[in-house]
Amino acid sequence: MSLQFVHLRLHTEYSLVDSIVRVPELMAATAAAGMPAVALTDQSNLFALVKFYKEALGCGIKPIVGVDLLVAEPGERRPPSRLTLLCQGSEGYRNLTQLVSRGYLAGQRNAAGTPLLERAWLTRENLTGLIGLSCATEGDVGRAALNGKAEDAQAALSNWLELFGDRFYLEVQ
């Protein structure tokens, strides 16, 4: 049995602070590696979407649309955690664009203008058609586990499972 690897969390030059990967070069490398699909999950944006989608299809690669989002944590001093959302289809895409837009329109709290999602905005209804990834040590489950807070990690995982059902996956790093 042959297993194929697929990147499900990947940033491009449109994640301005942490990547210089360009979409055409990404597609060429993905095709050369024999990957059947790749997910593009830039930080809080879908700026590369059209270029990514066209390039992927042109290379015979299934494009998986997603976004790496920041979720506000309660308390002033707690940094936001991450959540990656991947679209399963058109309903998921509509829900994702609404969440990203809401982050920009109502979730910018600091001078840098970083869009944050409030946990109250994440409901079963607006997560329909989306797959959630825990973001390993950058997500709330991973942070709690890393800090030895097993009960908090379990509570965070239970919350995500309540919202996503079987569409939430823990990332291991």
mmCIF file of all heavy atoms in Angstrom, residues 76-102:
data_model
loop_
_atom_site.group_PDB
_atom_site.id
_atom_site.type_symbol
_atom_site.label_atom_id
_atom_site.label_comp_id
_atom_site.label_asym_id
_atom_site.label_seq_id
_atom_site.Cartn_x
_atom_site.Cartn_y
_atom_site.Cartn_z
ATOM 1 N N GLU A 76 -6.788 39.703 29.125
ATOM 2 C CA GLU A 76 -5.938 40.640 28.392
ATOM 3 C C GLU A 76 -4.597 40.058 27.980
ATOM 4 O O GLU A 76 -4.065 40.381 26.940
ATOM 5 C CB GLU A 76 -5.640 41.868 29.265
ATOM 6 C CG GLU A 76 -6.773 42.819 29.416
ATOM 7 C CD GLU A 76 -6.370 43.986 30.308
ATOM 8 O OE1 GLU A 76 -5.172 44.271 30.439
ATOM 9 O OE2 GLU A 76 -7.280 44.606 30.870
ATOM 10 N N ARG A 77 -4.012 39.250 28.830
ATOM 11 C CA ARG A 77 -2.630 38.829 28.625
ATOM 12 C C ARG A 77 -2.467 37.509 27.884
ATOM 13 O O ARG A 77 -1.352 37.096 27.650
ATOM 14 C CB ARG A 77 -1.915 38.770 29.969
ATOM 15 C CG ARG A 77 -1.851 40.131 30.610
ATOM 16 C CD ARG A 77 -1.074 40.113 31.861
ATOM 17 N NE ARG A 77 -1.062 41.464 32.413
ATOM 18 C CZ ARG A 77 -0.464 41.783 33.501
ATOM 19 N NH1 ARG A 77 0.187 40.877 34.191
ATOM 20 N NH2 ARG A 77 -0.493 43.021 33.933
ATOM 21 N N ARG A 78 -3.561 36.881 27.555
ATOM 22 C CA ARG A 78 -3.477 35.604 26.846
ATOM 23 C C ARG A 78 -3.423 35.848 25.345
ATOM 24 O O ARG A 78 -4.329 36.474 24.786
ATOM 25 C CB ARG A 78 -4.663 34.722 27.192
ATOM 26 C CG ARG A 78 -4.602 34.251 28.642
ATOM 27 C CD ARG A 78 -5.715 33.332 28.992
ATOM 28 N NE ARG A 78 -5.609 32.082 28.240
ATOM 29 C CZ ARG A 78 -6.590 31.211 28.151
ATOM 30 N NH1 ARG A 78 -7.740 31.438 28.740
ATOM 31 N NH2 ARG A 78 -6.433 30.109 27.472
ATOM 32 N N PRO A 79 -2.378 35.375 24.702
ATOM 33 C CA PRO A 79 -2.295 35.574 23.250
ATOM 34 C C PRO A 79 -3.364 34.748 22.536
ATOM 35 O O PRO A 79 -3.824 33.721 23.062
ATOM 36 C CB PRO A 79 -0.894 35.080 22.900
ATOM 37 C CG PRO A 79 -0.538 34.124 23.983
ATOM 38 C CD PRO A 79 -1.239 34.623 25.227
ATOM 39 N N PRO A 80 -3.776 35.181 21.360
ATOM 40 C CA PRO A 80 -4.774 34.407 20.621
ATOM 41 C C PRO A 80 -4.231 33.035 20.251
ATOM 42 O O PRO A 80 -3.023 32.845 20.118
ATOM 43 C CB PRO A 80 -5.036 35.251 19.373
ATOM 44 C CG PRO A 80 -3.947 36.243 19.297
ATOM 45 C CD PRO A 80 -3.341 36.369 20.642
ATOM 46 N N SER A 81 -5.127 32.090 20.095
ATOM 47 C CA SER A 81 -4.732 30.762 19.632
ATOM 48 C C SER A 81 -5.074 30.663 18.149
ATOM 49 O O SER A 81 -5.760 31.522 17.602
ATOM 50 C CB SER A 81 -5.453 29.675 20.437
ATOM 51 O OG SER A 81 -6.843 29.810 20.324
ATOM 52 N N ARG A 82 -4.585 29.626 17.514
ATOM 53 C CA ARG A 82 -4.823 29.429 16.083
ATOM 54 C C ARG A 82 -5.840 28.329 15.844
ATOM 55 O O ARG A 82 -5.963 27.387 16.618
ATOM 56 C CB ARG A 82 -3.543 29.039 15.363
ATOM 57 C CG ARG A 82 -2.629 30.182 15.148
ATOM 58 C CD ARG A 82 -1.633 29.890 14.028
ATOM 59 N NE ARG A 82 -0.747 31.010 13.884
ATOM 60 C CZ ARG A 82 -1.012 32.097 13.190
ATOM 61 N NH1 ARG A 82 -2.140 32.211 12.540
ATOM 62 N NH2 ARG A 82 -0.156 33.086 13.122
ATOM 63 N N LEU A 83 -6.528 28.447 14.731
ATOM 64 C CA LEU A 83 -7.452 27.438 14.244
ATOM 65 C C LEU A 83 -7.367 27.479 12.726
ATOM 66 O O LEU A 83 -7.468 28.554 12.130
ATOM 67 C CB LEU A 83 -8.885 27.743 14.684
ATOM 68 C CG LEU A 83 -9.987 26.863 14.104
ATOM 69 C CD1 LEU A 83 -9.871 25.435 14.636
ATOM 70 C CD2 LEU A 83 -11.355 27.446 14.427
ATOM 71 N N THR A 84 -7.145 26.334 12.101
ATOM 72 C CA THR A 84 -7.150 26.272 10.648
ATOM 73 C C THR A 84 -8.476 25.699 10.191
ATOM 74 O O THR A 84 -8.940 24.691 10.733
ATOM 75 C CB THR A 84 -5.986 25.413 10.119
ATOM 76 O OG1 THR A 84 -4.757 26.030 10.485
ATOM 77 C CG2 THR A 84 -6.035 25.276 8.610
ATOM 78 N N LEU A 85 -9.075 26.351 9.206
ATOM 79 C CA LEU A 85 -10.332 25.883 8.625
ATOM 80 C C LEU A 85 -10.109 25.553 7.160
ATOM 81 O O LEU A 85 -9.501 26.344 6.421
ATOM 82 C CB LEU A 85 -11.422 26.955 8.752
ATOM 83 C CG LEU A 85 -11.802 27.348 10.177
ATOM 84 C CD1 LEU A 85 -12.833 28.471 10.156
ATOM 85 C CD2 LEU A 85 -12.331 26.151 10.946
ATOM 86 N N LEU A 86 -10.585 24.374 6.737
ATOM 87 C CA LEU A 86 -10.484 23.919 5.351
ATOM 88 C C LEU A 86 -11.890 23.735 4.797
ATOM 89 O O LEU A 86 -12.753 23.163 5.472
ATOM 90 C CB LEU A 86 -9.735 22.580 5.279
ATOM 91 C CG LEU A 86 -8.329 22.536 5.859
ATOM 92 C CD1 LEU A 86 -7.799 21.112 5.824
ATOM 93 C CD2 LEU A 86 -7.403 23.478 5.113
ATOM 94 N N CYS A 87 -12.104 24.173 3.572
ATOM 95 C CA CYS A 87 -13.416 24.073 2.938
ATOM 96 C C CYS A 87 -13.657 22.675 2.389
ATOM 97 O O CYS A 87 -12.803 22.111 1.715
ATOM 98 C CB CYS A 87 -13.523 25.064 1.787
ATOM 99 S SG CYS A 87 -13.379 26.776 2.275
ATOM 100 N N GLN A 88 -14.864 22.167 2.652
ATOM 101 C CA GLN A 88 -15.284 20.892 2.067
ATOM 102 C C GLN A 88 -16.044 21.114 0.764
ATOM 103 O O GLN A 88 -16.192 20.189 -0.022
ATOM 104 C CB GLN A 88 -16.188 20.137 3.032
ATOM 105 C CG GLN A 88 -15.472 19.619 4.253
ATOM 106 C CD GLN A 88 -16.422 18.845 5.151
ATOM 107 O OE1 GLN A 88 -17.330 19.419 5.726
ATOM 108 N NE2 GLN A 88 -16.201 17.547 5.264
ATOM 109 N N GLY A 89 -16.558 22.305 0.556
ATOM 110 C CA GLY A 89 -17.348 22.610 -0.640
ATOM 111 C C GLY A 89 -17.810 24.045 -0.604
ATOM 112 O O GLY A 89 -17.292 24.869 0.159
ATOM 113 N N SER A 90 -18.823 24.349 -1.411
ATOM 114 C CA SER A 90 -19.267 25.739 -1.549
ATOM 115 C C SER A 90 -19.871 26.308 -0.264
ATOM 116 O O SER A 90 -19.676 27.483 0.052
ATOM 117 C CB SER A 90 -20.249 25.884 -2.710
ATOM 118 O OG SER A 90 -21.361 25.051 -2.528
ATOM 119 N N GLU A 91 -20.596 25.500 0.508
ATOM 120 C CA GLU A 91 -21.159 26.002 1.768
ATOM 121 C C GLU A 91 -20.045 26.362 2.754
ATOM 122 O O GLU A 91 -20.092 27.405 3.419
ATOM 123 C CB GLU A 91 -22.100 24.975 2.393
ATOM 124 C CG GLU A 91 -22.745 25.466 3.675
ATOM 125 C CD GLU A 91 -23.715 24.461 4.279
ATOM 126 O OE1 GLU A 91 -23.626 23.261 3.964
ATOM 127 O OE2 GLU A 91 -24.562 24.895 5.073
ATOM 128 N N GLY A 92 -19.036 25.525 2.827
ATOM 129 C CA GLY A 92 -17.889 25.818 3.682
ATOM 130 C C GLY A 92 -17.163 27.073 3.232
ATOM 131 O O GLY A 92 -16.743 27.884 4.050
ATOM 132 N N TYR A 93 -17.025 27.234 1.919
ATOM 133 C CA TYR A 93 -16.380 28.431 1.388
ATOM 134 C C TYR A 93 -17.156 29.686 1.779
ATOM 135 O O TYR A 93 -16.566 30.676 2.221
ATOM 136 C CB TYR A 93 -16.229 28.343 -0.132
ATOM 137 C CG TYR A 93 -15.671 29.599 -0.734
ATOM 138 C CD1 TYR A 93 -14.330 29.937 -0.565
ATOM 139 C CD2 TYR A 93 -16.485 30.473 -1.440
ATOM 140 C CE1 TYR A 93 -13.813 31.106 -1.091
ATOM 141 C CE2 TYR A 93 -15.979 31.641 -1.976
ATOM 142 C CZ TYR A 93 -14.646 31.952 -1.799
ATOM 143 O OH TYR A 93 -14.140 33.117 -2.310
ATOM 144 N N ARG A 94 -18.473 29.656 1.636
ATOM 145 C CA ARG A 94 -19.296 30.822 2.043
ATOM 146 C C ARG A 94 -19.108 31.110 3.532
ATOM 147 O O ARG A 94 -18.948 32.271 3.933
ATOM 148 C CB ARG A 94 -20.771 30.560 1.743
ATOM 149 C CG ARG A 94 -21.174 30.859 0.323
ATOM 150 C CD ARG A 94 -22.681 30.837 0.137
ATOM 151 N NE ARG A 94 -23.305 29.590 0.579
ATOM 152 C CZ ARG A 94 -23.399 28.488 -0.149
ATOM 153 N NH1 ARG A 94 -22.929 28.476 -1.366
ATOM 154 N NH2 ARG A 94 -23.980 27.411 0.329
ATOM 155 N N ASN A 95 -19.136 30.068 4.358
ATOM 156 C CA ASN A 95 -18.960 30.267 5.796
ATOM 157 C C ASN A 95 -17.572 30.799 6.115
ATOM 158 O O ASN A 95 -17.418 31.673 6.977
ATOM 159 C CB ASN A 95 -19.247 28.970 6.555
ATOM 160 C CG ASN A 95 -20.721 28.660 6.624
ATOM 161 O OD1 ASN A 95 -21.562 29.555 6.571
ATOM 162 N ND2 ASN A 95 -21.057 27.391 6.738
ATOM 163 N N LEU A 96 -16.558 30.294 5.427
ATOM 164 C CA LEU A 96 -15.190 30.761 5.666
ATOM 165 C C LEU A 96 -15.038 32.228 5.284
ATOM 166 O O LEU A 96 -14.468 33.013 6.042
ATOM 167 C CB LEU A 96 -14.197 29.901 4.888
ATOM 168 C CG LEU A 96 -12.728 30.264 5.101
ATOM 169 C CD1 LEU A 96 -12.323 30.053 6.556
ATOM 170 C CD2 LEU A 96 -11.846 29.436 4.178
ATOM 171 N N THR A 97 -15.569 32.617 4.138
ATOM 172 C CA THR A 97 -15.440 34.022 3.732
ATOM 173 C C THR A 97 -16.167 34.944 4.702
ATOM 174 O O THR A 97 -15.696 36.044 4.984
ATOM 175 C CB THR A 97 -15.946 34.253 2.288
ATOM 176 O OG1 THR A 97 -17.308 33.848 2.189
ATOM 177 C CG2 THR A 97 -15.093 33.512 1.282
ATOM 178 N N GLN A 98 -17.297 34.500 5.238
ATOM 179 C CA GLN A 98 -18.015 35.314 6.221
ATOM 180 C C GLN A 98 -17.206 35.467 7.511
ATOM 181 O O GLN A 98 -17.149 36.559 8.095
ATOM 182 C CB GLN A 98 -19.381 34.717 6.505
ATOM 183 C CG GLN A 98 -20.336 34.878 5.336
ATOM 184 C CD GLN A 98 -21.643 34.131 5.518
ATOM 185 O OE1 GLN A 98 -21.848 33.418 6.495
ATOM 186 N NE2 GLN A 98 -22.538 34.288 4.560
ATOM 187 N N LEU A 99 -16.567 34.396 7.968
ATOM 188 C CA LEU A 99 -15.754 34.470 9.189
ATOM 189 C C LEU A 99 -14.526 35.360 8.986
ATOM 190 O O LEU A 99 -14.195 36.184 9.845
ATOM 191 C CB LEU A 99 -15.333 33.079 9.646
ATOM 192 C CG LEU A 99 -16.426 32.228 10.266
ATOM 193 C CD1 LEU A 99 -15.977 30.775 10.406
ATOM 194 C CD2 LEU A 99 -16.846 32.795 11.619
ATOM 195 N N VAL A 100 -13.846 35.204 7.845
ATOM 196 C CA VAL A 100 -12.673 36.039 7.561
ATOM 197 C C VAL A 100 -13.092 37.508 7.494
ATOM 198 O O VAL A 100 -12.447 38.382 8.091
ATOM 199 C CB VAL A 100 -11.983 35.593 6.253
ATOM 200 C CG1 VAL A 100 -10.941 36.615 5.804
ATOM 201 C CG2 VAL A 100 -11.345 34.221 6.436
ATOM 202 N N SER A 101 -14.187 37.795 6.797
ATOM 203 C CA SER A 101 -14.667 39.177 6.699
ATOM 204 C C SER A 101 -15.026 39.739 8.064
ATOM 205 O O SER A 101 -14.688 40.883 8.386
ATOM 206 C CB SER A 101 -15.896 39.251 5.781
ATOM 207 O OG SER A 101 -15.547 38.896 4.473
ATOM 208 N N ARG A 102 -15.690 38.937 8.872
ATOM 209 C CA ARG A 102 -16.074 39.403 10.212
ATOM 210 C C ARG A 102 -14.839 39.709 11.057
ATOM 211 O O ARG A 102 -14.829 40.680 11.824
ATOM 212 C CB ARG A 102 -16.950 38.361 10.901
ATOM 213 C CG ARG A 102 -17.614 38.888 12.144
ATOM 214 C CD ARG A 102 -18.685 37.945 12.624
ATOM 215 N NE ARG A 102 -19.399 38.535 13.738
ATOM 216 C CZ ARG A 102 -20.315 37.903 14.434
ATOM 217 N NH1 ARG A 102 -20.656 36.662 14.135
ATOM 218 N NH2 ARG A 102 -20.920 38.498 15.447
#
